Amino acid sequence: MIDRASPPIPEDSSLEELQSSLPIGRTIFTIGMTVLAFAFTGLALLPLLAILFAILRQGLPNLNWETLTSLPAPVGMEGVANGFANATLGTLIMVGIASLISIPFGLMTGIFLSEFSRDSKVASAIRFITTVLTGIPSVIVGVFAYAVVVLTTGGFSALAGGFALSILMLPVVALTTEEALKLVPISQRLASAALGSNRFQTTFKIVVATALPGITTGILLAVARAAGETAPLIFTALFSDNWPTGLSDPTPSLSVLIYNYANSPFSEQNELAWTASVVLVSLILLISVLSRLVTRRIIKS
Amino acid sequence: MDYNASDKIVKRIYPEVKDLSAVSQSAPEELITALKIRNLSCYYGDKKAVDSVSMDIYQGQITAIIGPSGCGKSTFIKAINRISELEAKVRFEGDVEFFGQNIYNRRVNLNKLRRQIGMVFQKPNPFPISIYDNVAYGIRVAGRKSRSELDEFVESALRGAAIWDEVKDNLKKSALGLSGGQQQRLCIARALAVKPKMLLMDEPCSALDPIATMKIEELLQTLREELTIAIVTHNMQQASRVSDYTAFFNTDESRIGQLIEFGPTAKIFTDATNPGTRDYIAGRFG
Amino acid sequence: MMKEQFEPAGKPDSGKTSFVKNGFDADFALTNGTGENLWLDQGFTWLVHGFAYGTAFVLFWLSWVIFQQAQPAIAHFGLGFLWGSTWNIGELTFGALPFIYGTLVSSALALFIAVPVGVAVALITSEDFLPPWVRSPIAFVVELIAAIPSVIIGMWGIFVLIPFLLPMQQWLYDRFSWVPLFSTPPSGPSLLVAGIVLSIMIVPTVAAISREVLLVIPKELRSASMSLGATRWETIFRVLLPSGTSGILGASTLALGRALGETMAVTMVIGNSPQLNPSLLELGSTIPSVLATQFAEALDKLHIGALMYLSLILFAITFLVNIAAVLMVRVFGHQQI
C-alpha cells in the first residue's frame, strides 16, 4: 500500500467503493458459469481419452507380427494364426484407387477455383457445389456407388469401394488445394507471366510448386478421412476373409472388419476388432501428424 | 561497398542536368522509336484510369514516368506488356506499337510480347527457388536449352545485373536469403536472361534502402546500351538522375490519369512548359 | 489541354524511326509463328475447366442416380411412404416414418447435448480463462475426436459406453417411468445412447467453428462491455454470444447435418429396431442405420427401391440443412466485414 493520507471519500452515495465485492448474485453467476464451462470442457475431453484408453488396453495385448501378417482364422480353430493382413491390404488398395481418381479431379478443380476466373459466377457456383459435396453423408455416397458400380457390374468390388471413397475425398482435396494456391502471392504469378511463361507454365512451375506442401496436407487429410470410412464400403466392397483377389472382387477393409467383428458374438473376433482399431487409429494419426509436419514446414519457409 | 561509384553518379548527373537540354534537343532526329503510343486509354471495368496518352519511348534511352500517386503511371506501364490483364478486368483503347507492331492486335502472343518487354516490379518478387533457377526460369519456359548454354545465359544475366560477384558461390541457395536490394537485382537479372528488347520498371527502388537504390541506378546506366528502359518512379531526384526523357502524369478531381507533359528530362526539370509540371517539380524540390 | 496534344511533345513523329522500315528483325515478332505450342495452353485451359465441371457434375449425377433408383418405390408407395410405419421385408411393405423419427430424435438429442458443451469448449479455448499453452492443446484434443473413425467410436459404444450407461438408464426407468420419455425398460442399446454417441461425434464441429466465430469478434466490443462494469460472463452473454449468434447457429446446423448422416456409430448402439415409441430408452433405427444393415443383403427390387427412397429423403434433408449452414456462416462472415 502507498503510505499516504488518502483523501476522504466524498459523502456521495452514488460513488461505490472500488474494493467492495460485487453483489452476491453476480458473484455466484460468475463462479457458477465458470465451473459449468470447465465441467463441460472436461466432459468434451473425456470421450477421446476413454476411447484411446479402451483401444490401447484391449487392442495392444494382441498386437504382434502374427496379427499384422495373417489372415483371419475361422472361428473356433485353435492354434491357427489369426490376423487381419488382408483387411489392411484391402484398405490400402481402395484408398489408393480413391486417390488415383480424386487427386487429379480435386487438384484441377482447386486450380480452376484459384487460378481461373476466381471471382466469376461459374467459379462461385462450383465452389458452392463442392462445399455442399463435403456435407453429403458418407452412407449416401455409398448408396450412389452401389447404384453406379455394384448394380451395373453385378457384384461387390474394390473398384466400387474405391469409387465411393474417391467421392468423399474429392471435395476435401479440391477445397484445400484452392486454399493453398490462394496463399501464393499474386506477385509471383505476375513475375512469371512477365518472363513470358504461359498459364500452364505459371500454374505448374510456380504456383503449384510453391503451394505443394499445402496441397499435400489437403491430400493427406482426405486420405486419413477415407481410410477410416466404413459406411460407403459395407455394401460396395463388402468383406472377405481372404486376401483381395482382384479389383472386381469383394475386398476386405480394416473398418468393415472392425464393424463385423465388433458385432460378432465370438470374443476372439471382438479382440481382433480392437487390435485392428489400434492399427487403423495409428495409421490415421500418423497421416495427421505427417500432414501437420508438412504444414509446419510451410510456415517455417 | 563502392562509395566512389555513387560519387561518380552524382558528379555525372548534376553537372549534366544543365547542359543536357542542348544535347537532347538535337537528339531526337537520330533516335529510333521503340514504342509508339497513341491515344492510349485504360479502363478498370467501366472506370477510366488513364486518358488518351500519346508519347514515344525511344530505343536505348531511359524514360522516366513521374507523377503523384494515383495518377495512373503504374496502370500505364502495365498496359505496355499487358500484365494488368492478369490482375483485373482491364480494357485498353488506342494504339501502342512496338517496333511497328500493334500490341493490342488480337493475334499477339502475350508470352512473346512479355518476353520482349520485360518487367521489374515494385517489390522484389523472386520465386522461392534457388538463385540459379530464378534466372534460368524465363529461359526454360521459352524452350529447352542445353545445360552449358543455360549456365552461360545465367552467368551473363547475373553479370549484366551486377550481382554475379555477390552470388556466384551461392547459386544453389534460395533466392529468398538475399537482401532486398540483391533480390531486386536478381529480378533484373531474371528479366535480362530472356534477352528482352525493352525493360519496364515499376518503382523498382521504392522498397529499397538508399545504397541499394544507388546500385540499381548505377546498373541502369550500363543497361541502357542494350535496352530501352521505361521507369516509373515517385522519386524525382531519381528521375532527374537516371533518365533521358521524362513523362509527367497527373490527375484532377475526375481521378483519371493524364499525361501532362513529355520531353527531355533536362527540359522538364528546368524549363517545363506546363505550369502544373513546374509546380509539381518545384514543390518536391523546394 | 491534353486533347490537343495529339503528337508527343518530345519529337515529331517521323516514319523513318520504325524498325520495320529499316529492315525488320524476326526476333521482334509478337504474333504466332508456325509450330508455337499454343495447344498446350489451350489444352490446359480446357482440361482444367473439364475437371472442375466434372467435380460439380458429381452432385447432379448423384442426385439423379438416387432419384432414378428410388423410382420403383416412389411409384409403388408415393408420398405415403413418408408416414408409413411398417417396414416388413417379407411382405414387401415399406414405410419410412420409424426411421425418420429415429433420425430426427437421435440428432435432436445430440444437438441438445453438444451445443452447450461445444460452446463451452469454444469459450474456454477462446477467452483467457487459461494460459495460451493450455488452450490450444485443449482445442486440438477436442478436434482430434473428429479424426477417430466412427466405427471405432461405435465399438467403444458397444463395449464401454452401453455397459456404463445401463445402470443410469435403469435408474431413469425406475424413477421416471411415468414420464413417456423413459417409459420402457432399458436393454442396453437405445435412442438415448445413440444420441449421446452422436453428441460426442459432433462436439468437435460445434466447438471448432464457434471458436473461430468467437475469435473474430473484435476485441473492442469486449473492452467496451468490460469498461461499462460488466463481469466476464455478463460480457459473454450480453455481447459475445449475441454478436456470434449466426455463426454459432451455423456451426450447430453444420453439426446437425453431420449427426443426421452419421452411420456406423449409431448403427452399432441404437439396436436397429424400427419402431415408433416415445421412450428414449427403447431401441430405435435411423435412415443411415437401416441403409448400413440392409443394403448388402437387399435382393428384391422393391426393397432396394425403398432403401433408395430412404436415401433420397436423407439426402434431401442433409442437403437443405447443409445449405442453410453454409448460408448462416456466410451471413456471419458478412456481418464481420
Side-chain angles (χ1 to χ4, degrees):
Chain A
M1 286 286 339
I2 302 163
D3 191 21
R4 206 188 331 162
S6 53
I9 295 168
E11 296 291 315
D12 182 351
S13 58
S14 71
L15 192 70
E16 286 177 50
E17 235 184 293
L18 286 177
Q19 303 227 339
S20 72
S21 53
L22 287 167
I24 188 76
R26 289 174 79 185
T27 312
I28 289 175
F29 178 69
T30 300
I31 296 174
M33 284 315 296
T34 309
V35 169
L36 199 64
F38 273 97
F40 277 180
T41 306
L43 213 57
L45 292 173
L46 203 60
L48 180 80
L49 303 178
I51 291 166
L52 288 182
F53 176 74
I55 297 173
L56 292 178
R57 197 172 67 99
Q58 316 248 21
L60 268 189
N62 292 315
L63 184 69
N64 51 43
W65 187 244
E66 187 188 297
T67 42
L68 288 177
T69 54
S70 317
L71 289 175
V75 174
M77 292 267 274
E78 294 288 329
V80 178
N82 192 11
F84 46 79
N86 58 336
T88 313
L89 181 65
T91 293
L92 294 179
I93 291 174
M94 286 188 283
V95 171
I97 295 172
S99 303
L100 281 181
I101 304 173
S102 65
I103 291 174
F105 271 91
L107 195 65
M108 289 300 203
T109 306
I111 289 175
F112 176 84
L113 293 177
S114 162
E115 306 300 304
F116 289 74
S117 52
R118 192 183 282 191
D119 302 318
S120 73
K121 287 212 174 85
V122 181
S124 32
I126 291 185
R127 189 176 297 115
F128 187 76
I129 290 174
T130 313
T131 313
V132 169
L133 221 46
T134 54
I136 294 183
S138 60
V139 67
I140 298 287
V141 173
V143 170
F144 172 57
Y146 173 86
V148 170
V149 186
V150 177
L151 286 185
T152 45
T153 60
F156 303 102
S157 65
L159 283 176
F163 176 74
L165 293 183
S166 78
I167 289 170
L168 291 169
M169 287 176 67
L170 174 59
V172 182
V173 176
L175 294 176
T176 47
T177 299
E178 186 201 359
E179 290 306 314
L181 295 181
K182 275 184 170 169
L183 290 179
V184 178
I186 298 281
S187 68
Q188 300 274 308
R189 296 179 180 83
L190 293 182
S192 173
L195 292 169
S197 56
N198 57 35
R199 187 128 81 168
F200 175 75
Q201 291 163 327
T202 301
T203 303
F204 277 98
K205 293 195 172 188
I206 298 298
V207 184
V208 172
T210 309
L212 206 54
I215 298 172
T216 314
T217 305
I219 291 175
L220 287 176
L221 283 177
V223 165
R225 183 183 166 188
E229 281 293 350
T230 316
L233 297 180
I234 308 180
F235 42 86
T236 53
L238 213 67
F239 189 70
S240 135
D241 279 332
N242 288 308
W243 290 103
T245 44
L247 294 185
S248 46
D249 295 325
T251 304
S253 58
L254 280 175
S255 52
V256 176
L257 177 130
I258 294 169
Y259 174 63
N260 287 347
Y261 285 10
N263 285 319
S264 154
F266 303 104
S267 67
E268 59 263 44
Q269 291 199 326
N270 295 345
E271 281 166 18
L272 206 60
W274 282 110
T275 312
S277 302
V278 177
V279 174
L280 186 57
V281 168
S282 337
L283 197 72
I284 288 169
L285 288 186
L286 189 78
I287 299 171
S288 306
V289 170
L290 211 65
S291 76
R292 282 206 157 223
L293 288 181
V294 177
T295 320
R296 198 157 294 171
R297 266 190 53 202
I298 323 171
I299 294 164
K300 263 189 190 163
S301 65
Chain B
M1 188 74 252
D2 184 6
Y3 284 100
N4 293 330
S6 72
D7 284 344
K8 213 163 63 202
I9 287 194
V10 173
K11 271 181 206 144
R12 200 181 72 74
I13 297 301
Y14 283 106
E16 275 184 11
V17 168
K18 293 188 201 98
D19 54 11
L20 231 166
S21 55
V23 180
S24 49
Q25 263 171 5
S26 59
E29 271 75 70
E30 306 140 23
L31 289 176
I32 293 166
T33 302
L35 208 62
K36 190 162 106 180
I37 300 154
R38 292 294 174 273
N39 300 326
L40 174 65
S41 298
C42 310
Y43 299 82
Y44 286 113
D46 295 331
K47 197 202 162 295
K48 201 177 209 178
V50 171
D51 181 43
S52 194
V53 171
S54 297
M55 64 185 266
D56 284 355
I57 290 177
Y58 305 120
Q59 199 194 16
Q61 302 290 302
I62 299 178
T63 303
I65 294 153
I66 60 168
S69 51
C71 69
K73 52 192 198 294
S74 229
T75 306
F76 167 73
I77 202 171
K78 283 179 175 169
I80 295 172
N81 65 348
R82 296 178 61 180
I83 199 92
S84 46
E85 288 170 28
L86 294 176
E87 289 179 296
K89 270 214 152 31
V90 286
R91 192 161 55 81
F92 306 114
E93 275 173 11
D95 288 317
V96 175
E97 285 187 4
F98 179 65
F99 292 108
Q101 309 171 82
N102 192 336
I103 66 164
Y104 299 127
N105 190 314
R106 209 169 46 79
R107 291 187 51 235
V108 163
N109 179 333
L110 289 179
N111 308 321
K112 277 187 155 183
L113 171 72
R114 290 174 189 149
R115 223 169 280 152
Q116 302 200 23
I117 306 182
M119 185 162 213
V120 175
F121 295 82
Q122 191 165 359
K123 267 166 85 182
N125 55 355
F127 302 127
I129 48 181
S130 76
I131 294 170
Y132 183 94
D133 289 337
N134 259 283
V135 181
Y137 179 80
I139 311 168
R140 283 184 175 138
V141 297
R144 291 237 162 261
K145 281 265 188 315
S146 74
R147 184 76 207 182
S148 58
E149 247 181 318
L150 209 55
D151 287 347
E152 200 179 298
F153 271 64
V154 168
E155 182 177 340
S156 80
L158 285 168
R159 281 188 192 284
I163 192 180
W164 172 252
D165 291 333
E166 291 157 67
V167 300
K168 67 181 174 207
D169 301 324
N170 298 320
L171 289 177
K172 293 281 164 245
K173 290 230 176 95
S174 168
L176 299 180
L178 298 173
S179 73
Q182 287 175 322
Q183 288 190 3
Q184 194 63 303
R185 275 180 289 143
L186 177 68
C187 291
I188 296 176
R190 188 174 66 181
L192 294 180
V194 291
K195 306 245 182 261
K197 304 288 182 293
M198 185 173 175
L199 194 60
L200 306 173
M201 306 182 99
D202 186 7
E203 305 202 20
C205 302
S206 64
L208 305 183
D209 62 70
I211 292 169
T213 301
M214 190 203 71
K215 283 201 160 192
I216 291 198
E217 289 180 9
E218 209 178 319
L219 175 60
L220 289 183
Q221 299 305 326
T222 61
L223 291 178
R224 60 187 303 163
E225 286 160 22
E226 293 175 38
L227 274 174
T228 306
I229 297 173
I231 176 170
V232 168
T233 175
H234 60 264
N235 177 340
M236 280 193 299
Q237 290 175 354
Q238 184 172 60
S240 75
R241 280 199 296 268
V242 302
S243 72
D244 308 297
Y245 283 83
T246 297
F248 173 59
F249 277 63
N250 205 348
T251 175
D252 49 19
E253 307 79 50
S254 64
R255 312 195 121 264
I256 299 171
Q258 291 181 327
L259 174 65
I260 304 299
E261 191 164 357
F262 173 67
T265 299
K267 183 168 186 308
I268 298 277
F269 275 82
T270 55
D271 182 26
T273 322
N274 188 290
T277 316
R278 279 206 296 274
D279 288 350
Y280 182 71
I281 284 166
R284 284 297 170 95
F285 278 139
Chain C
M1 173 211 66
M2 271 311 297
K3 302 287 174 204
E4 297 142 33
Q5 195 197 342
F6 204 82
E7 288 302 313
K11 70 181 276 290
D13 178 36
S14 49
K16 64 156 191 174
T17 56
S18 171
F19 247 45
V20 187
K21 307 232 164 125
N22 296 352
F24 186 71
D25 182 348
D27 278 4
F28 286 75
L30 295 180
T31 46
N32 288 309
T34 47
E36 290 285 328
N37 287 344
L38 253 192
W39 57 269
L40 184 68
D41 215 23
Q42 271 305 318
F44 172 60
T45 306
W46 284 113
L47 203 67
V48 168
H49 276 81
F51 275 106
Y53 290 132
T55 298
F57 170 71
V58 168
L59 184 67
F60 299 103
W61 189 22
L62 186 146
S63 347
W64 188 78
V65 162
I66 292 177
F67 182 72
Q68 279 300 313
Q69 294 289 333
Q71 275 309 318
I74 294 174
H76 195 274
F77 300 106
L79 278 178
F81 185 71
L82 291 176
W83 48 85
S85 55
T86 333
W87 185 271
N88 191 321
I89 303 167
E91 294 170 12
L92 290 178
T93 321
F94 300 110
L97 196 57
F99 305 107
I100 297 175
Y101 172 78
T103 307
L104 295 182
V105 169
S106 58
S107 297
L109 206 57
L111 220 51
F112 181 72
I113 302 169
V115 171
V117 173
V119 172
V121 172
L123 285 172
I124 292 283
T125 53
S126 67
E127 290 288 297
D128 51 358
F129 288 102
L130 294 169
W133 60 269
V134 188
R135 266 184 265 159
S136 4
I138 292 181
F140 175 68
V141 169
V142 169
E143 282 171 39
L144 210 58
I145 299 175
I148 306 269
S150 75
V151 68
I152 292 179
I153 296 181
M155 179 164 62
W156 175 77
I158 295 178
F159 292 106
V160 180
L161 193 63
I162 290 181
F164 175 75
L165 288 178
L166 191 56
M168 292 184 202
Q169 296 195 67
Q170 190 64 48
W171 180 83
L172 278 175
Y173 172 68
D174 291 344
R175 295 290 173 89
F176 299 102
S177 58
W178 49 273
V179 181
L181 284 179
F182 309 115
S183 57
T184 55
S187 59
S190 67
L191 275 172
L192 181 66
V193 181
I196 292 173
V197 164
L198 271 179
S199 74
I200 291 173
M201 302 186 69
I202 63 173
V203 160
T205 311
V206 180
I209 302 178
S210 303
R211 178 171 189 245
E212 275 170 38
V213 164
L214 291 174
L215 285 176
V216 262
I217 293 175
K219 290 263 179 290
E220 292 76 19
L221 271 180
R222 172 197 328 226
S223 316
S225 165
M226 297 283 230
S227 73
L228 291 171
T231 62
R232 187 208 292 276
W233 280 100
E234 284 161 353
T235 305
I236 288 172
F237 275 103
R238 285 165 193 243
V239 178
L240 297 186
L241 293 182
S243 46
T245 309
S246 68
I248 294 171
L249 271 179
S252 312
T253 318
L254 214 59
L256 175 64
R258 246 203 102 182
L260 292 169
E262 179 46 52
T263 312
M264 298 322 296
V266 175
T267 308
M268 293 164 91
V269 299
I270 202 169
N272 297 306
S273 158
Q275 45 187 306
L276 283 165
N277 194 310
S279 171
L280 295 179
L281 305 179
E282 189 52 76
L283 305 179
S285 188
T286 67
I287 298 180
S289 78
V290 71
L291 295 178
T293 46
Q294 297 195 356
F295 233 116
E297 281 117 48
L299 293 171
D300 191 273
K301 247 198 149 48
L302 196 59
H303 187 196
I304 294 178
L307 291 171
M308 288 287 180
Y309 200 169
L310 280 178
S311 309
L312 190 66
I313 295 167
L314 179 65
F315 176 65
I317 298 174
T318 51
F319 185 76
L320 293 178
V321 167
N322 277 315
I323 286 185
V326 171
L327 292 180
M328 266 186 250
V329 174
R330 202 172 278 180
V331 164
F332 175 77
H334 283 303
Q335 280 173 356
Q336 289 306 304
I337 301 159

